[in-house]
Each structure stands twice: as C-alpha cells, then as structure tokens.
Amino acid sequence: MNKNNRLYFGWYIVVAASVIVLLTTGMRMGIGPFVNPIMDDLGLSRTEFSLIVSAGMIVYGLGMLLAGILLKFYNTRFVLLVGLAIVCISIVWTVNSKGMLSFLLSYGVFLSIGLSFLSSISLSPIISKWFVRQRGKALFYLTTGGMAGIAVMTPVETWLIDLIGWQNTLLLFGGIFILLVLPSAIFIMREDVPDEADGMGHASGEISREEPAITFKNALMTKAYWQIVFGLFACGFGMNLLGSHGMPMLMDHHFPPMTASFGVGMIGVVAIIGTLFLAQLADRFPRKNLLFIIYFVRGLGFFALVLSANAYQLFLISFIGGLVWAGSVAMSTAILSDLYGVRLLGMLNGFAYFVGHQIGAAIGSFMGGWGFEVFGTHFISFGAAGVLAILASFASITLPKSLSFSKHGDVSSVSFRNTRGF
C-alpha cells in the first residue's frame, strides 16, 4: 500500500487480468467436455475434431504474435476490446455451425484469435509497466488465473453442458466475457503509470524504468532471447504432452482410469498453490535461478511420472510436479521485461510464445501418439519432455543478468551485476 494507505492501483489491474486469463485459459484448454457433444451434433470424426483443435493451437500462437504487434501501436484497452468482439462473433458463429469447414473457421480459427487477444500475452505488458520491485509476484498471480481456469472451468463446463447443452454453454460464456472484459478494459486497464510507484508505495530506487534503446530485430539477434524461447518450447512440449497423453499413458501402465485422472488433475490443483508460493520468491531471488529450478524439477518429474509403479508414487510425483508446473511462463515474461524493457514486451513475448511454446505444444501432442504407435512405449515422448526441460534449466541458469544496448539498438555489453529484482 502507498503512503495514503490505499491499495496500489496496479493490483486492481492484476486481479482483473487474472480473471480474464482464467476465462480465456478455461475456454482454450477446457475443450474436453465439448468433444463428444460437438462431434455428435456436427457429425465429426475424432480425427477431424483433433485436426481442428490442433489448427486452433497454431492459430492461437499466431494470434498472440498479432496481439503483441498491436500492443506496440495501440494500447491494452484496444486489444482487449477487439479480442472481445472477435470472441463474441465467433461464439455465435460456432453455435450455428453446420459442418466441419464452418466449425473449423468459427471455433478453430476466429475464436482462437479472439482468445489470444485476451490472453496473458496481451496483459503481461501492462502489468510489467505498473510493477518493478514486485514484477515477478504480479506476473505469477496472473499465471495463477490460468491455472485456476484449467482446474475450475472444466468441471463447470461439464455441468453446464449436461444442464443446458454445449451451444447454450458457449453463449453463456460469451455473456460472461462481455460482463467482465468490457468494464475491465474501459475502467481498469490504465496506461498512466505513476513514476514513483512500484506496487509497494516506494520509489523504485536502483531499479530504473528507463527503456533500453532496442529494436525488435536486434532483440532477436541476442542469444539470451533464444535461450528463453527454447525454455518456452520445452514448456509447451511437456505441458501439452501431459495434457493430451498423460491419462492414456497411465492407463496403458495399468492405472485405473479414476486413479489416472486424479493423478493428472492433482498437478493442476497443486499448481495453483505452487504459483502463490513461488510468487513470494519471484522478487527475492534471481529470476533465472528460479527458472532453473522450475525446469529442472519438472524435467525429473517427467521421468518419474512415466516410471511410476503405484498410486502412492503417482500422487507424490504429481504433487511435487504441480509445485513447479506454472512458473516458467511468468518467469520468462519477467526476464524478458527486465532484459529488453516493456515497450516491445508484447511483440517479444508473443513471438517467443508462438515460436517456442505453441510449436513445442504441437510437436509434443503429436509425438505422444506417434512415439507410442511406432516404438510401443511412452518413455520416448515423456523422456524427450524430461530431457528438453533439463536442457532448458541449463539454458536458463546461463542467462545474463542484464544487457546493455547502444543508441542504435545493438548489444554493446552484457552485464553480470547483482541487480536486485533480477
């Protein structure tokens, strides 16, 4: 709180952004309850439906990149309102779809673009502007919204579909998006950040808000940026492999379906607690050290998960894995803003998420099925996820603590100062 004992306005932005991300992630990742009803109504095969979901995953990443570009020329309010309009139009189109092509365009393409405009990629830059000392904590809270979306929205969607059908469920969520996103965009997403505040009501001190003289092209030429992209690739590969093939893998390893479901579900539930815990550490220790721990423990977890032999081992592994499941995106975003500033954060984050996370997600989802069909074992795909995560941990720990740029945007030096907040 500030000296007037009033809550710092940036926290209102964090709360609103977290709720928006909860809805967006839940809509994007909570497709499971919609699968059978939509296939039955539209006459789609599982392969056709899977292709539409995969296409939506790629379009979602492209939409994030587009959102980042728009943020460079417009503000957060504009991007959110455009995204809201696309989501509402796409939902109405989706519920009136009559075949594969119509559903592909409405749900797979346009709804994915609209949801990407309402994702953390659009909201993390404004949070990074409002926070310096507590930037890591604020971004972790944003991530908590995403984890809550995965944990909460799936059972809610299941209940609503049974009660009112999948079309009315989508329309209901469209109305909820309007009620929450519209006032948040108009009244809360303010860009006029006070110079002296950092979320604690104190001067920012040695942590400067001055933006480095860097262009998007020159940022792409730095090694540090691609280290972060590689980490996000490992993140997307592993998360979507587990989401798509975690339960089938455990059931193939003779776990009962309910046990497998609880084992995978526990990761998402514990991840909510994990993000709240890691949020308290995000600004007290070097961010790259935390990112190293997150990826390293996650990598070991993939090996342990595919080798688990009984329910006790499964639940213990899921609990430990859940503690570090959601921190990589928040820390990567915080490091990007620390190294390159917030002016280009939307573009840099969007491009990194598409090239890294979403491409990794598509490959991981494919490799989970292909690896088992070709080699007869899940160890190939889950072992690859473990190796990638461990490699990402070493890519993270070798990140520089800061970069210096010339007035032309070229990297002039790499500093290893013990800068507080990074």
Side-chain angles (χ1 to χ4, degrees), residues 8 10 13-14 76 120-136 138-139 142 191 193 197-198 207-209 211 287 330 332-338 341-343 345-346 349:
Y8 179 60
I13 296 177
V14 171
T76 305
S120 60
I121 295 299
S122 299
L123 293 161
S124 55
I126 192 171
I127 291 176
S128 296
K129 288 178 183 178
W130 276 87
F131 291 88
V132 179
R133 289 185 187 277
Q134 298 191 95
R135 180 177 290 164
L139 290 171
L142 180 66
E191 306 280 349
V193 183
D198 65 355
I207 306 176
S208 174
R209 289 182 181 271
E211 289 291 294
R287 304 199 206 284
S332 297
T333 301
I335 292 173
L336 280 173
S337 61
D338 289 339
V342 298
R343 181 175 58 87
L345 180 60
N349 210 13

Side-chain angles (χ1 to χ4, degrees), residues 196-349:
E196 75 281 359
D198 65 355
M200 297 179 66
H202 302 296
S204 58
E206 73 276 12
I207 306 176
S208 174
R209 289 182 181 271
E210 182 179 355
E211 289 291 294
I214 179 67
T215 64
F216 178 74
K217 178 181 178 181
N218 286 325
L220 296 185
M221 296 174 65
T222 60
K223 177 183 176 183
Y225 183 77
W226 292 103
Q227 289 174 258
I228 295 171
V229 170
F230 176 73
L232 289 173
F233 176 89
C235 174
F237 185 101
M239 291 186 75
N240 285 271
L241 171 68
L242 183 65
S244 302
H245 302 282
M247 275 195 63
M249 179 272 291
L250 293 172
M251 292 169 64
D252 288 337
H253 290 183
H254 308 296
F255 284 94
M258 190 59 67
T259 302
S261 175
F262 277 125
V264 175
M266 179 181 288
I267 295 175
V269 174
V270 175
I272 299 174
I273 303 172
T275 55
L276 296 175
F277 170 72
L278 291 173
Q280 308 307 313
L281 307 178
D283 303 300
R284 300 182 182 182
F285 300 95
R287 304 199 206 284
K288 65 175 187 175
N289 291 6
L290 287 177
L291 193 56
F292 166 81
I293 294 172
I294 289 168
Y295 281 135
F296 191 80
V297 174
R298 193 184 293 179
L300 295 180
F302 279 112
F303 286 109
L305 189 66
V306 76
L307 294 174
S308 58
N310 56 59
Y312 298 106
Q313 292 179 2
L314 172 61
F315 292 145
L316 178 61
I317 294 164
S318 297
F319 181 85
I320 296 174
L323 292 175
V324 297
W325 192 244
S328 53
V329 173
M331 281 291 89
S332 297
T333 301
I335 292 173
L336 280 173
S337 61
D338 289 339
L339 289 178
Y340 303 101
V342 298
R343 181 175 58 87
L344 295 176
L345 180 60
M347 291 179 63
L348 292 173
N349 210 13

